[in-house]
Amino acid sequence: MPHFAAKLSMLFTTLPWPERPAAAARAGFIAVEIQFPDESIAADTLAAACTDAGVRLCLINVPAGDLMQGGPGLAAVHRHSREGGNPGY
């Protein structure tokens, strides 16, 4: 049986970030992911919210940079590794 992670960047957006993992758990998810690492939640706050809710943080996407224009993204190119994201992640 497939398992799905709740993408907190798209789901439960009426709630503040720290409340979204608990909302995902109440909806039956056992894992969550975050699409944009520069969103308005600190890494330690997100980790604590996931732990408190009993869900696993299974994915944090990396900044795409010019990926939509055919570029290789930021994380894959060393000279761009510090661009576009929160260095706390």
Side-chain angles (χ1 to χ4, degrees):
M1 169 171 255
H3 296 276
F4 298 97
K7 184 175 286 207
L8 298 182
S9 303
M10 304 289 188
L11 296 172
F12 314 110
T13 59
T14 59
L15 298 174
W17 265 105
E19 295 177 23
R20 293 182 194 183
R26 287 191 300 273
F29 290 96
I30 60 171
V32 298
E33 64 180 74
I34 182 171
Q35 185 171 3
F36 303 110
D38 57 344
E39 295 196 59
S40 298
I41 186 167
D44 58 344
T45 302
L46 178 61
C50 289
T51 299
D52 292 348
V55 296
R56 185 173 59 114
L57 178 61
C58 66
L59 174 73
I60 298 175
N61 287 17
V62 297
D66 64 356
L67 184 63
M68 301 310 290
Q69 300 298 319
L74 298 179
V77 180
H78 180 70
R79 71 178 182 275
H80 294 296
S81 63
R82 294 196 183 269
E83 293 177 29
N86 181 336
Y89 282 103

